[in-house]
Amino acid sequence: MKTEKLQILNLIRRSPFLRLTTLFVATFAFVAFFILSKVSAQNTPVAPPLPPSIFRIGERLTYIISFEKFNNAGYAEIYVVSRGKLADKDAVELHSKIKTNDFVSAAFYLLDESRTTFASAEKGLPLYIRKTENASVLPKETVNNFIIVPTLNNDFLTLIYQARNAGGIGNFSLLENDKIYNVSLTQVITEKVKTDAGEFDTNCAAVQSEFLTEKGLTDFKINFSSDEQKIPVLFRFKTAKGDFRVTLASIQVNEGETAETPQPPFPTQTPRPVPTPKPIPTPTPYIENQPLLKELPFQLGETLDYQISDGGQIVGNIRLEAKERKLFSNQDSLLLTATISASAAGNRVFSSGDSIKANVNPDSIAPQQIEIKFTGDLSVLNQTTRFDQMTGVASLNGVNRIDIPVGTHSILSLIYAIRSFNLKPSKDSSNPVNDTRVAVLWDKQPYVFTLRPATADIINLRGEKISAQQISIKTGNPQLDSLSLRLWLSNDDKRLPLRFAIGNFQADLISANEAQE
C-alpha cells in the first residue's frame, strides 16, 4: 500500500475561525488515517513462504579446466539466476557455460556451449532448455520445451543439482541429444581437496553412464563437499588424449528477493545487488620477452637448424626459431620464424632469406597472423593471413575473408603446437582411435589434418641413433597427400622435431639451442 500525502491548501487568506476549523479537521483526518493504516496493515494477508527447493538462488560456481600439464585449458560456470513463474509454474532459471581453449581443440575437441534451463522448483526437472553451441562457424541452437508435456528426465545441468540433493549417490535419467541415458553415482572414497576457492572435505563419487562411454570419457569422478551444500568441488575424467580436471575456482552467492510478478514465457529475474564501483587500477606496463609457460615443451629463444636434402643431395639449410615475445596489434604475441639460412647453387625451389613468420598466442600457440615470402618455385604460396579466432574468420592479404573453424592453425603454428599434443599410438593399428584431427589453413582454405602416431622407433640422425616417434599426416588435399607428409618427434619432454619428410625432400635436425638465457 502506498503512503498518501495530505495537502492543506489555501489557508492563508481564510478567517481565523475558518483556519482553526480547518486545522482541527486536518488533524483529525491525519490521526484517523494513521489508525486506519495500522489496522489495514495488520489485516493485510502475509504471502506464505515459498516451498523449499533444491536450488540456492544466486549461487554461482566457476571452474578452471586443466588438461594434462596445461593448467588453464578452459573454464566453466553454473549459476542459479532467479525464481519466478513460467506459464504459471514455479520455476528456477539456471545458466551454464563451458569453453575450452584453442589448443585443447587440437588434442581433444573444442567445447564452447552456453545453456539456459528453466527447471521446476518443486521437482528439479527441466521445463524449458535452450542450448547454444558455438564451436562451429555458425552457432547451433537447440530448444526443448516440456511446459505442456512434462519430462521425467534431467538435462546435464539439472542432473548436477539432483545429484547434489541426493548426497552424490543414486541413479538418475539423463536426456541429451534426444536420447535417454541412465546415470549412476556411487561413493567410493572421502578426500580432502584444495582449490582456489578453499580447502574442502569431500565425498568422491564414481559416475557411470553409456553417455560417457559414447563421448569417450572414462574413470569419471565428482567430489562433492561433505557439508550440507554438497558443492561439486572437482570433476575428473580420462580420454584417449589425456586426463582432464575441472576444479572449483570461486563460489558466489548473491541472494535477492524472489520474483513475484509472473511474466510469461520466462520467470521474472531475481533482483541482483549493484556492486560498489571499484577504483580502476593503473594498468601494469607490458614487459617484452617474458618467459613462456613452463608447460610448453620449448622456450623463448629456442633455435633449431635443419639440413635439407632432395633425393639425398644437400640443397640448403633452414632455421626454426621462437624469436621474440612482444605486442602485435596490441595483443601479447610470440613470433615464430622459419628462415632459409643457406641455399645450394642452382636451387630453384627456394632461396636464402626466404621466410615464414607467424605471430601466435604465447599460451595456446593459436595463430594471429602468418606471412609467407618465397622467391623460388614456392612463391605461389606467398600471402599474409590474419586470423580472428573469436569469430572464426581469416583475412587473406587484407582482401579475401574466409570462414574457418575456431582454433584453426597455420602451418608454422602447427609445427610448434604439435609438440604439445598427446600423441599416443593406438594398440590396434586397424582401429586408429588415437588419431588427432586439427584444422589447418593451407594456401587459401582450411583443411582437417589427421595426425596418426606410430610407436617409438630408432632413427639414424647424422650417424647417431635416437629414439623417435613418427607422425604420419593426411591433409585431405590430394596434392599434399601425394607427398606423404611425415614428421619424427623426439621421445623426451622436449618433443623436438627431429626430421621432416615431404616427397623427395627431407630436413634433418643438425643443431638445437633449446634454453632461454
Side-chain angles (χ1 to χ4, degrees):
M1 177 180 296
K2 297 181 178 180
T3 304
E4 299 178 2
K5 296 182 179 178
L6 185 63
Q7 298 180 339
I8 305 175
L9 305 175
N10 299 323
L11 294 180
I12 298 176
R13 299 179 60 185
R14 299 180 182 179
S15 65
F17 176 77
L18 182 58
R19 287 199 299 269
L20 181 61
T21 303
T22 303
L23 180 60
F24 173 77
V25 173
T27 303
F28 177 80
F30 176 78
V31 173
F33 172 76
F34 178 79
I35 294 174
L36 290 174
S37 297
K38 290 292 185 179
V39 173
S40 176
Q42 292 175 359
N43 293 334
T44 300
V46 178
L50 291 170
S53 176
I54 65 174
F55 306 103
R56 183 161 60 150
I57 305 302
E59 180 191 72
R60 186 197 297 264
L61 307 178
T62 59
Y63 296 84
I64 294 295
I65 301 175
S66 303
F67 173 66
E68 286 291 305
K69 59 186 178 181
F70 294 97
N71 294 323
N72 191 18
Y75 69 91
E77 177 182 277
I78 55 177
Y79 181 24
V80 184
V81 180
S82 66
R83 181 172 180 176
K85 292 291 186 178
L86 176 65
D88 293 328
K89 298 180 185 294
D90 188 6
V92 173
E93 182 181 0
L94 310 173
H95 286 184
S96 70
K97 173 72 176 176
I98 181 169
K99 189 179 190 308
T100 55
N101 292 332
D102 298 330
F103 63 88
V104 180
S105 67
F108 185 52
Y109 54 77
L110 184 67
L111 289 175
D112 189 353
E113 179 194 294
S114 58
R115 181 184 301 227
T116 298
T117 298
F118 294 99
S120 167
E122 176 187 3
K123 298 181 179 180
L125 294 171
L127 299 170
Y128 184 93
I129 306 167
R130 182 173 63 244
K131 181 174 67 174
T132 304
E133 298 175 78
N134 300 300
S136 57
V137 175
L138 295 176
K140 177 184 177 183
E141 184 172 284
T142 306
V143 172
N144 296 102
N145 191 337
F146 304 109
I147 295 176
I148 305 300
V149 181
T151 181
L152 299 176
N153 307 302
N154 292 282
D155 72 334
F156 184 76
L157 191 49
T158 58
L159 177 62
I160 293 175
Y161 293 94
Q162 295 278 17
R164 291 175 62 179
N165 186 53
I169 58 174
N171 294 299
F172 308 90
S173 60
L174 172 67
L175 175 63
E176 284 291 325
N177 301 321
D178 298 324
K179 188 175 179 180
I180 299 175
Y181 304 87
N182 182 65
V183 180
S184 174
L185 279 78
T186 306
Q187 183 174 329
V188 292
I189 195 174
T190 59
E191 293 179 302
K192 187 177 289 291
V193 178
K194 188 175 182 180
T195 74
D196 290 344
E199 191 169 309
F200 298 84
D201 292 319
T202 70
N203 298 317
C204 178
V207 186
Q208 294 182 334
S209 175
E210 187 65 25
F211 172 79
L212 301 177
T213 303
E214 291 180 3
K215 298 295 184 182
L217 311 181
T218 60
D219 199 18
F220 200 110
K221 293 184 176 67
I222 306 176
N223 287 70
F224 295 94
S225 63
S226 55
D227 58 14
E228 63 178 8
Q229 297 300 334
K230 298 294 185 292
I231 293 172
V233 174
L234 174 65
F235 299 79
R236 290 172 285 182
F237 57 90
K238 297 181 178 180
T239 73
K241 299 301 179 184
D243 297 350
F244 280 83
R245 291 171 62 91
V246 183
T247 309
L248 185 67
S250 69
I251 305 172
Q252 301 176 49
V253 181
N254 298 323
E255 299 198 38
E257 298 179 4
T258 303
E260 297 180 353
T261 305
Q263 293 183 354
F266 301 107
T268 303
Q269 292 190 353
T270 302
R272 304 177 196 175
V274 179
T276 303
K278 297 181 180 180
I280 301 175
T282 302
T284 303
Y286 180 81
I287 301 176
E288 296 182 345
N289 294 319
Q290 287 293 295
L292 302 178
L293 292 176
K294 62 181 181 179
E295 292 85 359
L296 292 174
F298 60 92
Q299 297 182 3
L300 189 65
E302 179 194 72
T303 58
L304 307 175
D305 289 296
Y306 297 83
Q307 187 176 76
I308 307 172
S309 60
D310 179 6
Q313 183 177 355
I314 297 175
V315 294
N317 289 358
I318 187 171
R319 168 173 286 190
L320 301 184
E321 186 174 4
K323 195 172 185 65
E324 60 185 20
R325 182 176 184 176
K326 296 183 177 181
L327 286 178
F328 171 76
S329 295
N330 207 32
Q331 297 181 59
D332 187 17
S333 181
L334 169 65
L335 177 62
L336 305 174
T337 62
T339 307
I340 299 296
S341 53
S343 177
N347 180 7
R348 298 177 55 185
V349 180
F350 51 78
S351 302
S352 183
D354 290 353
S355 67
I356 302 175
K357 297 179 180 179
N359 290 90
V360 303
N361 181 295
D363 297 336
S364 67
I365 317 300
Q368 299 162 339
Q369 176 174 291
I370 184 169
E371 180 183 51
I372 302 175
K373 289 184 177 181
F374 286 100
T375 56
D377 293 343
L378 294 179
S379 61
V380 295
L381 300 175
N382 289 354
Q383 68 181 23
T384 299
T385 305
R386 294 290 297 267
F387 294 80
D388 188 336
Q389 299 290 355
M390 296 295 294
T391 60
V393 172
S395 176
L396 311 180
N397 298 320
V399 179
N400 299 325
R401 291 167 57 88
I402 60 172
D403 292 330
I404 58 173
V406 173
T408 295
H409 274 283
S410 67
I411 194 67
L412 188 52
S413 70
L414 175 65
I415 291 174
Y416 280 85
I418 201 173
R419 297 168 63 179
S420 299
F421 294 173
N422 187 4
L423 299 169
K424 296 180 180 179
S426 300
K427 295 181 180 180
D428 183 1
S429 58
S430 63
N431 183 27
V433 295
N434 281 5
D435 284 0
T436 294
R437 292 170 176 81
V438 54
V440 180
L441 184 70
W442 173 256
D443 195 9
K444 295 177 175 61
Q445 72 177 83
Y447 293 89
V448 176
F449 282 23
T450 301
L451 313 178
R452 178 163 298 179
T455 55
D457 198 1
I458 301 296
I459 65 171
N460 191 320
L461 193 66
R462 296 177 61 81
E464 183 179 355
K465 293 183 178 180
I466 300 177
S467 177
Q469 181 186 35
Q470 178 182 313
I471 312 297
S472 301
I473 304 173
K474 293 292 184 181
T475 68
N477 179 301
Q479 185 178 10
L480 282 179
D481 288 339
S482 67
L483 299 176
S484 185
L485 307 183
R486 287 162 294 158
L487 164 68
W488 283 262
L489 298 174
S490 65
N491 278 318
D492 56 11
D493 292 339
K494 294 296 183 183
R495 299 293 276 168
L496 288 169
L498 301 175
R499 174 177 291 165
F500 299 88
I502 307 172
N504 294 328
F505 287 89
Q506 183 170 300
D508 286 346
L509 182 67
I510 57 176
S511 70
N513 178 9
E514 303 172 19
Q516 184 173 343
E517 295 181 359

